[in-house]
Amino acid sequence: MAISKIIVTDMIMAGGLFAEQGYDVEQSADNLAELKGQIIVGYLEQNYPDVEICADIAIQSQAGDSRPLEVMAYSEASEVDAATSAALQKQLAERIAEGTAGRTWAVRAE
């Protein structure tokens, strides 16, 4: 089944990003969202070059449990391909974890 569209959604709970004080939480959350978006789009464009891609990273200012990355891969018949969606979710989650682990996105408050 050929994939025609992939939608990825994620949510950053900015209030829970740091256990310690001294960070610009808003700017750090924006940087993290940008980095996650780059990782997602870069991976999908490389592996699915002719597929429509939509990545949406929401930011909530409060603390709370983060929800898992959601991936929906649609066939040309506009049906969700559950197996491809699950495989992509796992692959993207791993790449995001690796790409954000160094905290290069974190901004110290002045």
Side-chain angles (χ1 to χ4, degrees):
M1 183 180 334
I3 299 301
S4 64
K5 183 176 186 177
I6 300 171
I7 299 174
V8 181
T9 60
D10 195 12
M11 182 176 295
I12 296 169
M13 302 302 285
L17 286 178
F18 305 104
E20 62 276 1
Q21 298 293 318
Y23 289 94
D24 182 332
V25 175
E26 187 175 312
Q27 185 60 52
S28 294
D30 286 344
N31 290 351
L32 180 57
E34 179 70 26
L35 180 56
K36 283 184 169 189
Q38 290 172 0
I39 292 168
I40 291 165
V41 171
Y43 179 79
L44 293 177
E45 285 179 344
Q46 180 179 5
N47 292 286
Y48 295 87
D50 297 324
V51 173
E52 180 182 351
I53 298 168
C54 177
D56 182 29
I57 315 292
I59 300 172
Q60 294 290 325
S61 59
Q62 67 268 20
D65 294 335
S66 61
R67 66 177 192 173
L69 185 72
E70 294 180 15
V71 179
M72 304 265 276
Y74 291 91
S75 70
E76 292 174 342
S78 297
E79 297 174 351
V80 174
D81 182 330
T84 301
S85 297
L88 281 173
Q89 191 278 338
K90 184 176 187 227
Q91 294 162 355
L92 288 171
E94 289 172 357
R95 278 164 181 72
I96 289 170
E98 291 168 4
T100 61
R103 282 193 164 185
T104 58
W105 48 268
V107 176
R108 287 277 185 186
E110 294 181 15

